Amino acid sequence: MIKYVFSKKNMILLGVVVLLIGLYVLFTVFVSENSSTSSNSYLYVGDYLIWNYDHGKFKQLTEAPEGVQEYDFVVYDGMNRKEAQMAQYSNNSWYFFTKDYGDINVKNFRLAYTGMDDIAILNYNLERYELSDSQYISQVNNTKNEEELLAFQNSLIKVKVDLDSDQEDEILYTMSSYSLDMPTTYQEMKSYLFLVDDNKVSIINQSKDMQPFDIIEILDLNDDGHYEIIASKGRLDIPALDDCYQLYEYKDGRYQLKQDCIME
């Protein structure tokens, strides 16, 4: 009887051990698969930004990744959505191909992605300063220095888009008192990224010294109807893979920085 009980206890313990091992194996495989899926997700914006989506964050690469050239890509040629089975980065430009190496011939490359859910983009144009923008400049920075005001006006870029899918356009602005061409008589250079919604101004971000903002892309990454904003910070020349790129999202009733220049 004692031997029988002892043997039964052993069998129970053995069953528990086997169950725990099985759960551990399943958990390990599940985490591994999720990690693999996440780390194999890439977003290319223009010829100058490469993001690897990994565990909820976009990590910036300063060179084209190896091993992803033969992944399936969704490519935006302007507003036209195309599909590709191969990608090649050559002479600082992306090229996309079919599985039999046919050139897709993308003339106005905006972005491409693989391993991610569908991404929506907006049709927009970058516009320069107009007299009507003066009221918003003064609300953001009511400078009394004429040279500084002129620098803001000369650098101002705006985009009229429906960022929240309410059928009404908002206006996204960047401006900076930093200038390569003009000597400055003001002590501190300032740059701004701000939004005008229903004539109300909200500053999304601001910086000092030689850290101007530039609008890189506007896209909906999570299909929530609110578009995210990709901006560069501190770019003084043409965009490059090692520039600082930021991601802004709509949260708690306003646009705010989601992540700032995460390099791998």
Side-chain angles (χ1 to χ4, degrees), residues 175-194:
M175 68 179 188
S176 178
S177 60
Y178 170 74
S179 174
L180 286 170
D181 303 322
M182 295 175 57
T184 60
T185 58
Y186 38 92
Q187 293 183 346
E188 189 174 61
M189 293 173 285
K190 297 179 180 180
S191 301
Y192 298 92
L193 174 65
F194 65 97

Side-chain angles (χ1 to χ4, degrees), residues 137-156:
I137 293 177
S138 63
Q139 291 182 57
V140 172
N141 186 304
N142 191 21
T143 179
K144 305 303 181 184
N145 186 295
E146 291 185 3
E147 289 184 359
E148 186 176 24
L149 178 59
L150 183 60
F152 283 138
Q153 294 173 350
N154 289 339
S155 66
L156 185 142

